[in-house]
């Protein structure tokens, strides 16, 4: 990846986020994986070794062992690693002929390494040795084991060899390493915090959603509170789209197999699609994407350049086959609703359409409390033009326009050479949450493929047919993943405008119930989401319950409030705030809602 700094032409801050130590950190972490493998072979001499790559924030190594590793075993491995690090052994690289390497690994009883070597296309393979341990590896590595200053083994989990369910299940130990002790400590604190924010846990605690065995893996049940949040998001989303010249469309969940053949999905995307359904002898497929329907709508009439652009938005529910092993809460599911849109325009309109999408994306992200993001522009790889559909001129035009749009907006971005899909370049935005973790955000994808396959055109001012430009874009991504992201970003304490329940009124005794219900009614009349807890329980208990449910405002009413016509306010942010007249309270929270704080 190449970092591109846009010209600074205004006094807006331009931040390019690239850690220059990223490569060093990867080398350090991967070297720590080797050290871990060495420690494991010391403790369990019969271990068969899998692979040990570096991953985001750490590393892992896969082991085939007779016994199941426990947390205690990880501690033993850690202390053996400390010995190895203390001995400060050098990492030594050696290249040996492939057949020699094969023999060596066969003698050592390492079947997985044998398999890996067989797959290598070179005459020679490289090994790295530190002390008494040798491992097949391309490198690079740190110079000596003593360079590892801070590491930690985090967890152990089962993983199929090479991710295939028909292969043996190995034990994968995850760990991380840093160049500084306090960096490790900060990271461990972050992990603790992330655990507290885990949307799967909070989703259950706050009764937001569930997955159920009887229903099937990866299929989300949105409970009423999450349903509220989704309704608020969707209403806001629709309003903002209409404001920006979009129209909202709806399309079916299934379509004839032939449509997916024309679109190319059946050939290129089949592994992610569910098997066909038989309907009166015709094969139909559940949709993995909404795009072909948009194209069919486009083609339902002859289109003139005067009609363009069309901006058709759709909250489209799609179904994709994901292996059970990769499903993860709301983040990896089998059915989800995309906040999709398809824009059809002329080549001349393309750049300004992209700018409008970026504007909308920025507006939406800010509205939901995401202030920081990273942008990647995915373009063709150099010298591999045959991998892509569409001619040079078209690609250059589209890549140039995307780049131009980013520069006009003074946005910094990284250039992902060779990262483009075969059918067109794209802009991908990764948002950062409250813990600084990246989440997949808006994407803007140009498509040369579908207009070609469906022969989608418009009549130009010259009276001739021209190929239409098609843009796919999502702003929030999938509603499911976006909810997961919001839950973790806010630790379930949704801002007032999104909170499923905004206010709870609690009467001190039964005598104050009538007044409490009156307060509830008054607030509801103003469109607020309110309930009233009149059950017979101690006031302290009822307040605590409200706090656990993370309700933004709790209003307590007793003798004093009834007499004075006020409410006693307890906010999630500040705790007790004393008494307010109802009008004053209403004014305040209306401001808070409008500000989307
Ligand atoms: Zn290595
Ligand atoms: Zn699409």
């Amino acid at each position: 990846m190449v970092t591109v700094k846009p010209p600074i032409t205004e006094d807006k801050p331009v931040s390019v986020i690239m850690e220059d130590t990223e490569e060093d950190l990867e080398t350090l972490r991967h070297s720590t994986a080797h050290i871990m493998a060495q420690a494991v072979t010391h403790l369990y001499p019969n271990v068969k070794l899998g692979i040990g790559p570096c991953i985001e924030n750490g590393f892992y190594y896969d082991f085939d062992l007779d016994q199941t590793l426990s947390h205690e075993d990880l501690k033993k491995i850690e202390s053996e690693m400390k010995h190895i690090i203390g001995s400060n052994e050098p990492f030594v690289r050696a290249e040996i002929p492939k057949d020699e390497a094969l023999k060596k690994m066969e003698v050592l009883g390492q079947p997985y390494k044998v398999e890996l070597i067989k797959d290598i296309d070179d005459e020679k393979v490289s090994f790295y040795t530190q002390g008494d341990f040798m491992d097949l590896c391309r490198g690079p590595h740190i110079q000596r084991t003593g360079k590892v200053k801070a590491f930690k083994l985090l967890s152990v989990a089962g993983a199929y060899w090479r991710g295939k369910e028909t292969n043996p299940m190995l034990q994968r130990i995850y760990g991380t390493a840093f160049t500084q002790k306090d960096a490790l400590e900060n990271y461990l604190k972050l992990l603790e915090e992330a655990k507290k924010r885990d949307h799967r846990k909070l989703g259950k605690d706050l009764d937001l959603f569930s997955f159920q065995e009887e229903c099937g893996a990866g299929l989300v049940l949105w409970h009423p509170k999450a349903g509220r949040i989704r309704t608020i998001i969707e209403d806001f989303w629709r309003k903002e789209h209409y404001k920006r010249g979009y129209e909202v469309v709806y399309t079916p969940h299934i379509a004839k197999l032939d449509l997916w053949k024309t679109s190319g999905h059946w050939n290129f995307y089949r592994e992610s699609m569910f098997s066909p359904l038989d309907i009166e002898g015709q094969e139909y497929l559940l949709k993995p994407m909404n795009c072909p329907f948009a194209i069919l709508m486009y083609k339902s009439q002859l289109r003139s350049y005067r009609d363009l652009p069309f901006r058709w938005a759709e909250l489209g529910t799609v179904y994709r086959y994901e292996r059970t092993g990769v499903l993860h809460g709301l983040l990896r599911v089998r059915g989800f609703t995309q906040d999709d849109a398809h824009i059809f325009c002329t080549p001349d309109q393309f750049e300004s359409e992209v700018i409008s999408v970026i504007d909308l994306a920025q507006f939406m992200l800010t509205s939901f409390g995401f202030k920081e993001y990273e942008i990647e522009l995915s373009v063709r790889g150099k010298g591999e033009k045959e991998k892509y559909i569409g001619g040079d001129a078209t690609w250059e035009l589209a890549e140039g326009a995307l780049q131009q749009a980013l520069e006009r907006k003074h946005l910094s971005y990284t250039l992902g050479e060779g990262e483009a899909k075969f059918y067109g370049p794209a802009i991908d935005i990764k948002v950062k949450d409250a813990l600084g973790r990246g989440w997949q955000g808006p994407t803007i994808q140009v498509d040369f493929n579908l207009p070609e396959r469906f022969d989608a055109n418009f009549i130009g001012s010259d009276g001739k047919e021209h190929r239409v430009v098609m843009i796919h874009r999502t702003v929030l991504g999938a509603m499911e993943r976006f909810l997961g992201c919001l839950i973790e970003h806010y630790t379930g304490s949704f801002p007032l405008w999104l909170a499923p329940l905004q206010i709870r009124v609690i009467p001190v005794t039964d005598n104050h119930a009538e007044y409490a219900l009156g307060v509830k009614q008054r607030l509801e009349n103003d469109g607020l989401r309110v309930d009233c807890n009149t059950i017979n329980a101690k006031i302290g208990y009822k307040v605590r319950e409200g706090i656990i449910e993370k309700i933004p405002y709790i209003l307590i009413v007793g003798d004093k409030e009834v007499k004075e016509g006020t409410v006693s306010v307890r906010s999630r942010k500040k705790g007790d705030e004393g008494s307010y007249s109802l009008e004053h309270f209403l004014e305040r929270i209306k401001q808070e809602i409008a500000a989307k704080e």
Side-chain angles (χ1 to χ4, degrees):
M1 270 211 274
V2 189
T3 305
V4 179
K5 290 184 186 180
I8 302 171
T9 46
E10 270 182 20
D11 56 352
K12 281 186 188 162
V14 176
S15 70
V16 176
I17 306 151
M18 281 295 280
E19 290 101 11
D20 54 4
T21 59
E22 197 58 40
E23 271 188 351
D24 304 344
L25 205 52
E26 281 180 12
T27 307
L28 178 85
R29 285 170 178 168
H30 173 61
S31 301
T32 314
H34 277 236
I35 295 169
M36 175 167 80
Q38 183 180 9
V40 171
T41 45
H42 287 175
L43 296 168
Y44 313 92
N46 294 326
V47 65
K48 295 182 186 75
L49 304 169
I51 54 164
C54 176
I55 50 171
E56 199 183 3
N57 298 320
F59 61 84
Y60 70 76
Y61 209 115
D62 288 342
F63 303 102
D64 191 346
L65 280 166
D66 294 334
Q67 68 179 105
T68 308
L69 293 171
S70 66
H71 195 70
E72 287 310 303
D73 296 320
L74 294 193
K75 290 224 170 100
K76 276 184 221 154
I77 297 167
E78 271 183 353
S79 67
E80 183 58 25
M81 287 170 74
K82 280 178 189 153
H83 277 297
I84 297 165
I85 292 165
S87 65
N88 202 20
E89 301 279 3
F91 279 87
V92 183
R93 183 187 167 94
E95 284 192 6
I96 55 174
K98 192 171 154 180
D99 42 341
E100 203 178 301
L102 273 173
K103 262 185 220 136
K104 209 172 187 104
M105 285 298 134
E106 270 160 14
V107 170
L108 287 172
Q110 294 295 346
Y112 304 109
K113 297 290 179 191
V114 168
E115 200 181 318
L116 292 171
I117 295 170
K118 281 184 181 160
D119 282 356
I120 296 174
D121 243 350
D122 268 325
E123 297 281 296
K124 284 186 166 182
V125 293
S126 64
F127 280 85
Y128 276 81
T129 305
Q130 83 270 15
D132 59 359
F133 180 77
M134 182 182 177
D135 202 353
L136 172 74
C137 183
R138 221 180 283 134
H141 277 280
I142 52 177
Q143 282 166 331
R144 309 186 79 94
T145 58
K147 275 219 160 189
V148 179
K149 299 293 180 207
F151 77 96
K152 176 105 184 124
L153 301 189
L154 299 167
S155 59
V156 56
Y160 292 107
W161 169 239
R162 295 189 146 179
K164 273 202 204 106
E165 280 155 50
T166 46
N167 283 344
M169 170 83 89
L170 309 182
Q171 297 185 68
R172 175 170 296 176
I173 303 180
Y174 289 96
T176 191
F178 287 87
T179 48
Q180 310 277 343
K181 280 220 165 72
D182 38 333
L184 174 65
E185 271 162 32
N186 285 340
Y187 178 69
L188 294 177
K189 265 186 217 148
L190 186 85
L191 279 188
E192 245 348 271
E193 185 56 36
K195 220 188 254 174
K196 270 188 240 156
R197 289 169 183 253
D198 191 324
H199 73 277
R200 293 167 298 177
K201 182 184 179 296
L202 285 171
K204 200 171 187 182
D205 293 351
L206 298 173
D207 190 19
L208 294 170
F209 63 88
S210 65
F211 293 93
Q212 296 187 32
E213 193 50 43
E214 295 96 312
C215 174
L219 300 168
V220 190
L221 302 174
W222 293 67
H223 294 202
K225 284 185 189 165
R228 276 278 189 178
I229 298 172
R230 179 159 165 178
T231 306
I232 298 159
I233 296 172
E234 290 186 1
D235 288 349
F236 174 66
W237 182 92
R238 259 185 294 270
K239 198 179 95 201
E240 292 302 329
H241 278 76
Y242 279 130
K243 256 197 221 169
R244 289 167 165 80
Y246 282 80
E247 290 298 332
V248 172
V249 299
Y250 297 87
T251 64
H253 289 222
I254 60 172
K256 284 183 182 170
L257 177 63
D258 281 348
L259 178 70
W260 304 104
K261 281 185 181 164
T262 309
S263 70
H265 288 92
W266 186 242
N267 275 333
F268 298 108
Y269 204 70
R270 196 185 307 183
E271 284 195 353
S272 302
M273 294 167 80
F274 290 102
S275 316
L277 317 162
D278 183 313
I279 299 175
E280 296 174 343
Q282 283 258 18
E283 288 189 301
Y284 282 72
L285 283 168
L286 270 169
K287 67 170 164 182
M289 291 183 192
N290 306 304
C291 335
F293 298 106
I295 283 261
L296 291 185
M297 274 191 274
Y298 179 84
K299 285 198 61 177
S300 65
Q301 288 180 36
L302 192 63
R303 306 294 185 180
S304 150
Y305 71 99
R306 286 192 206 92
D307 307 324
L308 300 178
F310 291 128
R311 305 182 189 107
W312 290 339
E314 171 176 20
L315 291 162
T317 305
V318 298
Y319 298 88
R320 294 183 190 170
Y321 171 60
E322 299 272 14
R323 289 170 180 278
T324 321
V326 303
L327 296 172
H328 180 91
L330 293 175
L331 309 186
R332 271 303 262 285
V333 291
R334 284 182 173 161
F336 56 92
T337 302
Q338 283 182 313
D339 78 311
D340 214 350
H342 293 98
I343 297 171
F344 296 92
C345 64
T346 68
D348 293 346
Q349 294 165 332
F350 176 64
E351 190 185 315
S352 73
E353 286 304 310
V354 172
I355 290 178
S356 310
V357 175
I358 296 173
D359 278 335
L360 174 61
Q362 285 182 308
F363 172 79
M364 293 297 261
L365 293 181
T366 319
S367 302
F368 287 100
F370 300 101
K371 308 273 188 281
E372 276 187 67
Y373 29 88
E374 285 174 8
I375 303 176
E376 184 176 313
L377 173 58
S378 303
V379 296
R380 276 192 304 184
K382 283 197 185 104
E384 36 177 26
K385 285 178 181 169
E386 66 290 347
K387 275 172 60 184
Y388 304 93
I389 118 156
D392 276 350
T394 328
W395 271 85
E396 274 156 28
L397 191 81
E399 288 176 353
L402 289 178
Q403 192 159 0
Q404 188 70 23
L406 288 169
E407 279 163 18
R408 289 242 171 120
K409 296 282 300 165
H410 309 295
L411 291 164
S412 46
Y413 57 94
T414 54
L415 195 61
E417 270 178 28
E419 298 283 312
K421 301 229 167 68
F422 75 92
Y423 54 85
I427 292 172
D428 292 294
I429 302 179
K430 219 184 203 181
V431 303
K432 285 197 160 188
D433 73 1
L435 295 187
R437 299 171 300 173
W439 296 74
Q440 195 183 313
T443 61
I444 306 167
Q445 173 78 55
V446 188
D447 189 344
F448 305 132
N449 181 47
L450 288 182
E452 191 77 33
R453 285 177 164 267
F454 283 88
D455 193 23
N457 306 312
F458 66 92
I459 306 296
S461 55
D462 56 2
K464 291 184 185 139
E465 273 204 341
H466 300 268
R467 191 69 83 215
V468 75
V469 175
M470 184 183 193
I471 305 168
H472 313 254
R473 52 109 277 199
T474 66
V475 170
L476 306 177
M479 299 307 282
E480 286 72 10
R481 191 178 56 221
F482 192 64
L483 176 66
C485 178
L486 284 176
I487 294 171
E488 300 207 4
H489 182 57
Y490 289 115
T491 327
S493 294
F494 299 103
L496 192 59
W497 79 284
L498 280 176
L501 181 69
Q502 296 169 311
I503 302 156
R504 172 165 293 163
V505 189
I506 306 179
V508 176
T509 68
D510 280 352
N511 298 336
H512 316 108
E514 199 188 324
Y515 179 74
L517 288 167
V519 169
K520 172 182 179 259
Q521 188 63 58
R522 172 73 189 84
L523 295 170
E524 269 176 349
N525 289 348
D526 268 61
L528 295 163
R529 300 184 286 279
V530 198
D531 75 0
C532 182
N533 185 348
T534 53
I535 59 160
N536 192 9
K538 288 231 169 74
I539 178 82
Y541 174 81
K542 291 204 268 189
V543 171
R544 264 199 310 283
E545 212 176 40
I547 293 170
I548 290 168
E549 288 176 44
K550 298 178 188 276
I551 302 166
Y553 288 97
I554 296 171
L555 306 182
I556 300 153
V557 296
D559 284 340
K560 182 169 163 274
E561 287 75 23
V562 173
K563 198 170 134 216
E564 293 171 357
T566 58
V567 290
S568 177
V569 176
R570 193 185 197 294
S571 74
R572 192 175 56 195
K573 267 188 223 149
K574 295 181 186 159
D576 277 329
E577 294 199 36
S579 72
Y580 271 68
S581 77
L582 207 49
E583 295 315 308
H584 187 186
F585 174 69
L586 258 171
E587 201 178 295
R588 168 182 162 173
I589 64 166
K590 277 185 184 167
Q591 267 172 21
E592 190 180 332
I593 290 169
K596 297 197 166 57
E597 276 167 346

